[in-house]
């Protein structure tokens, strides 16, 4: 494999990992809230109440662009220092998700400092960090191996 092709492959894996992590960070809280609400009230139809076609693309775009401000430097540090541990990416995801949720007060509906809401955000971030680690984080810093 040539060096430029290896670089492009590595950058593509970083991009795919980031996109998958952003989707995970959106889906996890929606599913958790829907499931808990359904279990609590015995009404499982709330899962279908979320307007997937209208809200989901806008949520994905907002999260991906805004979270890149925090995650971009963290990914750069991981690549530069060859940080490949799951814990680093899980903590980075939790911090990013919580910071993003707290910085967007309207997304919380007035419950920004509610421990339950922050727990949902941290859980979503840990899930997103884990997905990124599975797809791209385990091979962080392989640029040294590429040439």
């Amino acid at each position: 494999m040539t060096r430029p092709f290896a670089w492009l492959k590595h950058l593509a894996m970083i991009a795919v990992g980031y996109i998958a992590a952003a989707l995970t960070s959106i889906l996890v809280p929606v599913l958790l809230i829907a499931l808990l609400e359904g279990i609590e009230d015995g009404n499982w139809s709330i899962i279908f109440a979320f307007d997937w076609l209208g809200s989901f693309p806008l949520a994905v775009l907002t999260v991906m662009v805004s979270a890149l401000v925090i995650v971009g430097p963290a990914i750069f540090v991981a690549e530069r220092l060859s940080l490949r541990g799951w814990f680093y990416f899980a903590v980075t995801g939790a911090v990013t998700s919580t910071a993003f949720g707290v910085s967007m007060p309207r997304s919380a509906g007035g419950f920004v400092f509610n421990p339950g809401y922050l727990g949902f955000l941290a859980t979503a971030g840990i899930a997103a960090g884990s997905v990124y680690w599975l797809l791209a984080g385990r091979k962080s810093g392989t640029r040294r191996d590429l040439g």
Side-chain angles (χ1 to χ4, degrees), residues 46-114:
I46 193 162
I47 294 172
F48 303 105
F50 186 70
D51 183 12
W52 292 101
L53 296 177
S55 302
F56 193 69
L58 182 61
V60 169
L61 185 62
T62 303
V63 168
M64 286 183 65
V65 171
S66 301
L68 194 58
V69 173
I70 300 170
V71 175
I75 291 173
F76 178 77
V77 167
E79 290 293 327
R80 188 78 177 143
L81 301 177
S82 297
L83 299 174
R84 297 178 181 166
W86 170 83
F87 187 74
Y88 174 78
F89 294 104
V91 168
T92 300
V95 167
T96 302
S97 183
T98 305
F100 179 74
V102 170
S103 68
M104 299 286 189
R106 291 181 186 213
S107 68
F111 298 103
V112 175
F113 295 107
N114 179 352

Side-chain angles (χ1 to χ4, degrees), residues 106-137:
R106 291 181 186 213
S107 68
F111 298 103
V112 175
F113 295 107
N114 179 352
Y117 177 72
L118 295 178
F120 279 130
L121 291 176
T123 302
I126 290 170
S130 298
V131 166
Y132 181 82
W133 175 77
L134 282 171
L135 295 175

